[in-house]
Amino acid sequence: MKPKIPLRVASGLMLLHTAGHTIGALTWKQAPNTRVATVITGMQTEHFDFMGRSTSLGNFFDGYGFIMIGVLLLLTVMLWLEPSRKFILQIGLFLFFMGVIELIYFFLLAAVFTLLAGILTLYVYLIWKPSN
């Protein structure tokens, strides 16, 4: 099998992950019940000083969410563009690590997308024969 196919599949998985994450990052303030609404309100209204500015946990949550959209998009594009074999190993290990973290701290669907992308990427590393 050509390395291009599994890398494109991995890129597609990461694009789906990016879409799901973007929806979640843009809608996390929509509480499913009053108890969660209370927590969300507290995250947005309770400010504290951090490194010279007043901020809230809601601001941190927003910022991390938007940063991850960028990271996921970057991974999607990098996999589509077929990086060098050496860089594929690094991307595959990063995706595998990220998938394990998602499995522990987030939810199964995100972890499955990332772990499958990582496994496909590591597979490409193993089958890719360096050109002479």
Side-chain angles (χ1 to χ4, degrees):
M1 177 184 294
K2 293 183 178 182
K4 180 183 242 178
I5 295 168
L7 287 176
R8 294 283 165 95
V9 172
S11 178
L13 288 168
M14 293 314 296
L15 184 61
L16 290 172
H17 188 143
T18 303
H21 180 82
T22 301
I23 291 167
L26 296 176
T27 62
W28 74 269
K29 295 173 188 169
Q30 299 170 6
N33 59 52
T34 55
R35 292 178 70 183
V36 174
T38 302
V39 172
I40 291 170
T41 300
M43 287 176 69
Q44 294 175 291
T45 58
E46 294 297 320
H47 283 75
F48 54 93
D49 289 330
F50 184 77
M51 297 187 78
R53 73 179 271 214
S54 178
T55 191
S56 68
L57 289 177
N59 288 341
F60 283 158
F61 206 72
D62 276 335
Y64 289 135
F66 296 138
I67 285 171
M68 278 308 299
I69 292 169
V71 168
L72 292 169
L73 277 175
L74 177 65
L75 287 165
T76 300
V77 170
M78 289 171 66
L79 288 166
W80 189 267
L81 295 177
E82 300 176 53
S84 69
R85 184 174 184 268
K86 181 179 178 181
F87 205 51
I88 283 180
L89 175 62
Q90 296 165 347
I91 294 170
L93 291 173
F94 176 75
L95 287 170
F96 194 79
F97 169 77
M98 193 169 116
V100 170
I101 297 299
E102 289 171 340
L103 192 58
I104 294 169
Y105 292 104
F106 296 103
F107 55 97
L108 186 60
L109 185 59
V112 167
F113 281 166
T114 305
L115 285 169
L116 283 175
I119 290 167
L120 285 167
T121 306
L122 291 171
Y123 170 73
V124 166
Y125 177 79
L126 293 174
I127 67 164
W128 193 338
K129 303 294 183 226
S131 56
N132 294 329

